[in-house]
Amino acid sequence: MSSKHRDGVSINLGFVPEFDYKSSSSQSWTRVWTMSWRRLSSLQRTIIVLFVCIVALCFFYFHPTFQSNGSKSAKMVPINVPGDNPVNNLPHDSVREMEIEKAHKLEELKEKAQKQLENMMKQHGVKDDVDEDKVADEKNKVEENNFENTNKEKEKDVEKKVDMEGVKPELEYDFFDANRKHNDRQKAVIEAFKECWSAYKKYAWGHDEFHPVSKKHSEWFGVGLTIVDNIDTTIIMGLEEEYEEAREFATNGLSFDKDKDVNLFEITIRVLGGLLSAYHLTGDELFKTRAKDLGDRLLPCFNSPSRVPYSDVNLRSGNAHAPRWGPDSSTSEVTTIQIEFRDLSRITGDPKYKEAVDEVYTHVHDEPKKDGLVPIFINAQSGKLRNSGTISFGARGDSYYEYLLKQWLQTGKTEMKYKNDYLEAVQGMKTHLVRKSEPSKLTYIGELLSGRNFSPKMDHLVCFMGGTLALGYKNGLPEDHLELGKELTHTCYQMYAKMPTHLSPEIVYFNQAEGAPDDLIVKPLDAHNLLRPETVESLFYLYRITKDEKYRDWGWKIFLAFKKHARIEGLGYSSINNVKNAGNPSFRDKLESFFLAETLKYLYLLFSDDADLLPLDQYVFNTEGHPLPIYKSA
Ligand code: DMJ
């Protein structure tokens, strides 16, 4: 059987004509036809059969023998006007009954033919595109659909992009605008940055760290750390020449294909964070590509039995392991990579980075805690927090708390689990760790040794918390957070002001005994200063949030103290050994990359009068001072 339909008309003959070659008068003619027929493809055969059928049908239909009134009145028979009922459209004349019957028959034939055609096409694997018009129609339709779909996809992409990247303030701010104004304090900070940069460039370019006294360099990760950690600093300060140098290094000098064990946390916050920030501030795909390459090389850290990451990984082999000094990872380290990995997922569209760090967060979230407070060690094998570990807002604990708040902010305040954990931790901190010193009643955050015994020790690292509390308040958390943030920042400033150099030691102990002459006790081994940023970071937040000028003045005094005691003319800045000895603080011969990436950056931002420069409702700074966009959702 064969049929063909065109323009909605289907005709069926009820049989498939057979070529009766055996009874043919000419055997050779038959053979030729048979062979020719066999050589045809299924499609060709189908078309021929259809053609024959339609000719036959026309013959039956239009031949006078088959006409009711002897005329070619077939035109009176409604033939499949789509959507019409043929019976309703018949003429009212004497042949109506016959016409009706014929119409019904034709309808039946049409349906039958249609089914047969479909079956046949299925059999031959032919789609109903044998009709060229239909093919063209279908093609147009497909193209139209594709066009529409592509547009829809594009629209979706735009939506996705907006959703993925959140607001895009970076594109609205021209960092290299020649008309950007800098006040005197900002100019002084820029000068300090440029001095460090040019000395590093001269003596250590492409190496991780610079030693300004010996004019030597050293490697940590082997990735030009000081450059990558500071691409965004050059952008934010509007230093186009330095930015171009950094970009050139990122283009031609930077490689992560290194047989080097790196610390997951450190390289994430400094290098991955630096690249992500550079990408957001410039939109330059190069930084995204580099960030993705690094992110991929760090992922093996998460292949631990508990999914809590190992602390270290070899960049080339992907071999991940616990630190050399012990079986545990630091709690703050495994919980201070989430902002960067989430951002990497957003910009690449690949959820694997976010998923890896989310799992870690969820795991730590589910672990038992002391009123929201965590011990500073966690085992990557078992995933257990070490309960006998110290509880601290300083080394190895600090940024766990910082990233609870900042993840809530980064996700557009949509993920309440972060906020709730943060609120619980602040409450736990107030209950167990916040005390006042004697005699001046300075508010500070101590530690719980072995998770139990209070120690009045506070690392300079803890000084981030004043700013974090203020940032929480700015985002709707209770006002007493701001008050506590102010008190803590005042204490941190006193850690500078009370020292002969006006620079803070690395660690202080607060006096608890009534009647003692001084609030601060500094042990000889804790008297060094690494040019750390936490206090000026808090000053930056507190100034932005309260607009109280005293925070700028404190920041300026700190900057001047750095300049006086940590500067080596023409070579930039070095960490120092003894903040208690103003006559001879002695250089440690090291420029930490965070001095430029955080300390100077936060000072520059603290002194800035430009309200459009990195607004806090559009950017969240990672723990290394790299601004990343706030999204509208998780
Ligand atoms: C930086 O790398 C980061 O601020 C980190 O959170 C703590 N240590 C240094 C600065 O002190």
Side-chain angles (χ1 to χ4, degrees), residues 95-205:
V95 296
R96 193 169 184 268
E97 290 301 319
M98 285 178 71
E99 296 294 358
I100 289 171
E101 206 186 331
K102 193 187 259 182
H104 281 305
K105 270 191 184 148
L106 277 169
E107 275 302 302
E108 276 169 24
L109 285 172
K110 188 190 87 178
E111 274 171 26
K112 215 172 165 189
Q114 184 115 17
K115 273 186 196 145
Q116 285 165 347
L117 178 68
E118 281 168 15
N119 285 341
M120 195 171 157
M121 284 175 168
K122 264 187 212 157
Q123 243 175 22
H124 291 279
V126 180
K127 303 219 167 70
D128 61 344
D129 52 0
V130 284
D131 182 310
E132 281 171 19
D133 287 353
K134 189 156 188 206
V135 169
D137 278 358
E138 288 302 317
K139 214 176 152 197
N140 284 343
K141 268 188 210 158
V142 168
E143 273 166 12
E144 272 168 28
N145 278 344
N146 282 347
F147 181 73
E148 264 175 39
N149 287 343
T150 314
N151 275 352
K152 274 184 200 152
E153 282 306 309
K154 271 187 194 156
E155 275 166 27
K156 259 194 221 154
D157 270 2
V158 172
E159 277 168 27
K160 207 166 130 196
K161 232 179 169 183
V162 172
D163 190 37
M164 295 287 264
E165 297 187 9
V167 285
K168 302 189 79 165
E170 66 280 10
L171 300 177
E172 289 157 21
Y173 196 93
D174 185 359
F175 289 98
F176 298 124
D177 181 354
N179 295 321
R180 269 182 82 186
K181 296 266 179 294
H182 290 127
N183 58 41
D184 287 347
R185 286 177 174 180
Q186 283 184 294
K187 282 181 189 157
V189 176
I190 288 174
E191 200 184 306
F193 178 88
K194 286 177 92 160
E195 188 174 43
C196 294
W197 185 267
S198 66
Y200 166 80
K201 190 175 144 194
K202 186 167 177 189
Y203 297 107
W205 189 253

Side-chain angles (χ1 to χ4, degrees), residues 31 206 222 305 336 412 471 544 568 613 624:
R31 218 173 295 123
T336 312
L471 183 61
R544 280 267 178 118
I568 307 164
L613 181 59
E624 183 75 4

Side-chain angles (χ1 to χ4, degrees), residues 229 265-266 269-270 336 398-399 402 460-461 531-534 537 594 598 623-625:
D229 204 4
F265 159 76
E266 292 288 2
I269 64 165
R270 298 184 194 222
T336 312
D398 48 4
S399 41
E402 179 187 352
H460 182 275
L461 287 167
L531 316 176
R532 285 196 191 276
E534 290 76 19
E537 174 185 347
F594 55 67
E598 292 193 81
T623 194
E624 183 75 4

Side-chain angles (χ1 to χ4, degrees), residues 26 103-104 121 175 223 271 284 325 418 421 423 473 586 594 634:
S26 162
H104 281 305
M121 284 175 168
F175 289 98
V223 297
V271 179
D284 190 332
W325 45 263
Y418 303 123
D421 283 4
L423 286 172
Y473 161 77
S586 97
F594 55 67

